[in-house]
């Protein structure tokens, strides 16, 4: 029975061009990252610190969120809370409506993808224009991002050139990257100038000072949050850190882990709307804090580690499964290893638990995570949650993947393997009747020869040897 | 148990794959240890470490089987395992598996003594190997668990470096998973197939005549794929595969 | 949506705090670099991302920058009239027949002019960071944010003795927490860029295409 994920997998694996492209892109990102971490001890020490900063913030989350709200409000930032994406969309729409906004320019925000904000607003007559170059490209193509940091990763230069030419026929066809970039700059510059409102995400929220921190390379984030008179920031409730002093270590690890850059071109720290005598900047700044299942994840001490994530994408870049599938096959907002632990918990194990199984638990992700999320351990935990019957429904969709036949098989195996005498007989029989073992073992033998059971199992050989030695 | 202390005896936990599919690996592993003057105890009641059920999410069943293994190691000897994957299960997951149960301290005690075989040979025994074999190009596929869970990638490389006749070739994407992942190969066969095909291509390109590994799971996967490719696609070229214990034993006995 | 706020906080508060959490020990990372080393490192980092760094002096920087701008064919330059550096530069520019345009009104009054007609913008800065090659800018009434963003060329005056080794050191030395954060604090580490098109690096995406830093020794 093919699931949607399975269909996505098969499609992706057959796309030779995509696979070659992904392989080269991931190799390049891994190399760039590696080059900026020459000192292993220093890297490990920094990872530990960043883990502690995030874990500490999570341990104090409700207090820090209140402190953040307090500081933000004192500074003039209006703070809103949304339990669900519906509520978040309504909030954003309401603010835009109040200002009569018809055109919204967007900096990059994965949370806004989670909200499906663009579709929601467009259905209500508000145009949403992506300004991050990668997001701009996929918006033109009518697609969703395939990577949390580089949304248009799956597209080749030629595909982008054709897309531009199709959408902007006045601009002569070019596949020169500088020319394509210049074209995008010109188009979006006009939009920045005219936009009535700008929307952004947030990378870090600082409770101590009520500050929104944003990283970016292009300048579209600054444009979206500075030029229009209205700025709305949307982010998850888990993004808060306690003190300003917590920011430098995180900023030190985030760009290097994400794209192998020492630092992004801009690091923007917003602590309020335009002050009375200032000449530019938004006159109104809003912050929408979204829950959408995070508080439920928060409730589990082990799974809470999922929320440490600073959305760098390093796990995605190092994942052998993602390298072969790309982001779209996952069918989720967040793909790759982080997606495989986050999405099933947000959307339910009954719906997305399969993602937690689509991993060999190789551990490449955990090795590079800047905040030391033990991803393989959490994947394993989710596999248990998917089939267990003895829980209290703490994890969404708990037990939703349990199948009686599989459970029965594992119980039979357990009964056998916990009784040595029985196991000995079973193994002995397997050896004796090994020639009856089918050589076609379904999918395994489509690309491999079947393993051969030994003529005599080890325990028998040892017993014979021991007898000989006596 | 401090790593510098040389024990008198060790338990040998062969693993279920070795028992059923690769018994020669078990004999070779035990022989290597015996040759170093250790008493090697093979607990006859060993079955499986429980990892297959554990990774499938069936923790109750895994615990049931793991509990039976815990009782095999009454004496305070190191437990040597010719598999990074099974060693990892026992060392890193048994404590969590038995947390909050009456066997927790027993699990911790056992976990503390578990060693992956190649790491035991280099770090504890400081084994010295004399290569009696013919020149050979060998690639080492260090399993993900040996590398990342057991931190023992250095051991396999160090052991092969001691063999004068062995030229260690480096395959591209050396640290990338081969795609076995136990139940993953069955549950996500297409992705697994794509991964093993890439891995076998890398190994071929490296010019290896033989691929050795610390883990029989990986060998079943990589070896099975190489064999299939030789027959099905008339690709006569392609390395053979062997567990590193068996390889070391043969090379140092002139076979 | 205070109902949502209440419910979210209530759900979070129901969770027992982990026993292991103590106060974080926070340290300030810094490097033992002297002034020259900091200048050197800052310049190297900046040059790596195609920023232009020019070493100059207190007396000659305005003339030096004017020469650079003439060379680039710049017709005008926006600056903050209430800052002494800006005024100093304006004098030098005017002598070279480059229009100096004061950013004296709110953006609403002249947005299209700023966007469409200004070639370059000039700001001071609040120091820099050597480790990452970053300028520190705090926007205020005198020096608006868009000065360093909209015109395609951004010129900055940096005092060499205000270069810190790390970001953490700058925050501590400059007393950010004590002073309170401005509406907008910014680290600028080069001209605008992107690698979103087939991972090929391209400069001048939405922010300035050129960054010119005058370092006064």
């Amino acid at each position: 029975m093919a699931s949607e994920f399975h269909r996505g997998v098969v499609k992706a694996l057959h796309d030779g061009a995509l696979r070659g492209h992904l392989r080269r892109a991931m190799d390049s990102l891994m190399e760039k990252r590696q080059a900026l971490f020459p000192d292993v001890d220093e890297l490990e020490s920094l990872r530990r610190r960043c883990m502690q900063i995030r874990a500490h913030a999570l341990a104090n989350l409700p207090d820090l969120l209140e402190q953040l709200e307090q500081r933000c409000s004192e500074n003039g930032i209006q703070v809103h809370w949304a339990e669900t994406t519906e509520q978040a969309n309504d909030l954003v729409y309401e603010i835009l409506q109040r200002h009569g906004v018809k055109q919204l320019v967007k900096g990059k925000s994965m949370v806004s993808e989670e909200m499906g904000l663009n579709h929601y607003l467009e259905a209500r007559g508000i145009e949403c224009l992506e300004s991050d170059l990668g997001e701009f490209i996929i918006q033109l193509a009518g697609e969703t991002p395939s990577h949390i940091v580089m949304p248009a990763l799956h597209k080749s230069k030629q595909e982008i050139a054709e897309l531009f030419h199709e959408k902007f026929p006045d601009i002569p066809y070019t596949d020169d990257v500088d020319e394509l970039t210049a074209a995008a700059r010109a188009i979006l510059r006009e939009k920045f100038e005219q936009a009535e409102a700008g929307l952004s995400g947030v990378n870090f929220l600082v409770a101590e000072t009520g500050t929104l921190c944003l990283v970016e390379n292009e300048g579209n984030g600054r444009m979206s949050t500075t030029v229009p008179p209205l700025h709305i920031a949307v982010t998850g409730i888990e993004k808060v850190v306690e003190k300003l002093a917590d920011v430098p270590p995180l900023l030190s690890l985030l760009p290097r882990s994400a794209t192998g850059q020492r630092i992004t071109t801009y690091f923007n720290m917003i602590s309020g709307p335009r002050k009375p005598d200032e000449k530019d900047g938004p006159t109104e700044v809003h912050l929408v804090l979204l829950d959408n299942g995070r508080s439920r994840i928060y409730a589990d001490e082990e799974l809470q580690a999922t929320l440490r994530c600073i959305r760098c994408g390093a796990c995605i870049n190092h994942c052998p499964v993602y390298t072969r599938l790309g982001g779209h096959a996952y069918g989720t907002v967040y793909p790759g290893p982080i997606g495989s632990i986050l999405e099933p918990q947000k959307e339910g194990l009954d719906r997305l638990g399969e993602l937690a199984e689509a991993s060999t638990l190789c551990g490449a992700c955990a090795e590079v995570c800047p905040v030391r999320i033990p991803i393989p351990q959490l994947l394993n935990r989710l596999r248990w949650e998917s089939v267990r019957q003895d829980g209290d429904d703490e994890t969404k969709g708990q037990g939703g993947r349990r199948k009686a036949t599989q459970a029965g098989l594992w119980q039979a195996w357990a009964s056998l393997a916990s009784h040595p005498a029985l196991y000995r007989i079973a193994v002995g029989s397997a050896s004796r009747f090994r020639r009856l073992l089918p050589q076609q073992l379904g999918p395994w033998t489509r690309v491999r020869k079947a393993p051969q059971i030994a003529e005599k199992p080890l325990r028998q050989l040892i017993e014979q040897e021991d007898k000989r030695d006596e | 148990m401090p790593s510098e202390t040389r024990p008198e005896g060790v338990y040998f936990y062969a693993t279920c794959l070795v028992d059923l599919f690769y018994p020669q690996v078990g004999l070779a592993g035990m022989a290597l240890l015996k040759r170093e003057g250790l008493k090697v105890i093979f607990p006859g009641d060993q079955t499986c470490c429980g990892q297959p059920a554990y990774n499938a999410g069936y923790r109750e069943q895994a615990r049931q089987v793991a509990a039976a293994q815990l009782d095999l190691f009454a004496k305070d000897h190191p437990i040597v395992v010719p598999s990074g994957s099974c060693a990892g299960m026992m060392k890193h997951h048994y404590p969590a598996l038995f947390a909050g149960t009456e066997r927790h301290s027993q699990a911790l005690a056992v976990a503390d003594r578990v060693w992956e075989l190649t790491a035991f040979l280099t770090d504890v025994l400081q084994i010295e190997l004399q290569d009696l074999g013919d020149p050979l190009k060998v690639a080492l596929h260090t399993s993900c668990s040996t590398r990342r869970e057991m931190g023992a990638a250095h051991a396999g490389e160090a052991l092969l470096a001691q063999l004068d006749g062995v030229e260690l070739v480096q395959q591209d994407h050396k640290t990338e998973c081969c795609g076995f992942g136990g139940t993953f190969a069955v549950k996500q066969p297409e992705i697994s197939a794509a991964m093993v095909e890439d891995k076998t291509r890398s190994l071929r390109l490296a010019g290896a005549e033989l691929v050795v590994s610390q883990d029989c799971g990986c060998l079943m996967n990589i070896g099975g794929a190489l064999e299939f490719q030789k027959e099905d696609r008339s690709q006569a070229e392609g390395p053979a595969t062997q567990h590193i214990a068996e390889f070391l034993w043969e090379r140092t006995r002139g076979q | 949506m205070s109902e949502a706020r209440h419910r979210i906080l209530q759900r979070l508060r129901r969770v027992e705090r982990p026993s292991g959490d103590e106060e974080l020990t926070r340290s300030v990372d810094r490097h033992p670099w002297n002034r020259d080393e900091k200048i050197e490192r800052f310049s190297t980092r900046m040059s790596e991302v195609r920023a232009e760094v020019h070493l100059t002096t207190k007396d000659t920087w305005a003339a030096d920058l004017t020469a650079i701008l003439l060379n680039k064919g710049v017709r005008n330059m926006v600056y903050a009239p209430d800052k002494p550096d800006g005024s100093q530069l304006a004098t030098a520019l005017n002598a070279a027949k480059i229009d100096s345009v004061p950013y004296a009104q709110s953006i609403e009054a002249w947005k299209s002019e700023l966007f469409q007609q200004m070639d370059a913008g000039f700001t001071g800065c609040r120091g820099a960071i050597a480790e990452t090659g970053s300028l520190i800018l705090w926007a205020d009434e005198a020096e608006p944010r868009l000065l360093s963003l909209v015109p395609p060329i951004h010129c900055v005056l940096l005092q060499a003795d205000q270069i810190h080794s790390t970001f953490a050191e700058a925050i501590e030395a400059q007393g950010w927490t004590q002073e309170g954060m401005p509406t907008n604090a910014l680290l600028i580490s080069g001209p605008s860029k992107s690698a979103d098109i087939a991972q090929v690096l391209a400069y001048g995406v939405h922010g300035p295409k050129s960054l010119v830093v005058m370092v006064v020794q």
Side-chain angles (χ1 to χ4, degrees), chain C residues 30 42 54 62 64 78 84 91 108 132 135 159 164 166 175 201 208 216:
Chain C
R30 61 183 102 239
F42 172 81
H54 302 275
D64 288 345
V78 197
T91 312
E108 285 75 19
T132 50
L135 297 157
Q159 304 297 328
H164 301 274
T166 64
L201 202 51
V216 172

Side-chain angles (χ1 to χ4, degrees), chain A residues 44-59:
Chain A
E44 292 310 312
S45 157
L46 193 49
R47 288 177 72 216
R48 218 164 273 280
R49 270 173 82 190
C50 288
M51 173 193 75
Q52 283 163 353
I53 287 169
R54 291 291 299 134
H56 174 76
L58 287 173

Side-chain angles (χ1 to χ4, degrees), chain A residues 207-258:
Chain A
E208 182 185 32
T209 53
T211 302
L212 282 52
C213 300
L214 281 80
V215 306
E216 61 154 335
N217 281 314
E218 297 176 18
N220 65 301
R222 288 179 65 198
M223 283 285 191
S224 310
T225 59
T226 312
V227 181
L230 173 63
H231 168 212
I232 304 172
V234 297
T235 194
I237 54 174
E238 82 281 23
K239 290 287 194 59
V240 65
V241 295
E242 187 184 7
K243 290 190 187 289
L244 200 54
D246 293 336
V247 173
L250 290 170
L251 184 59
S252 173
L253 264 193
L254 173 57
R256 287 192 283 173
S257 302

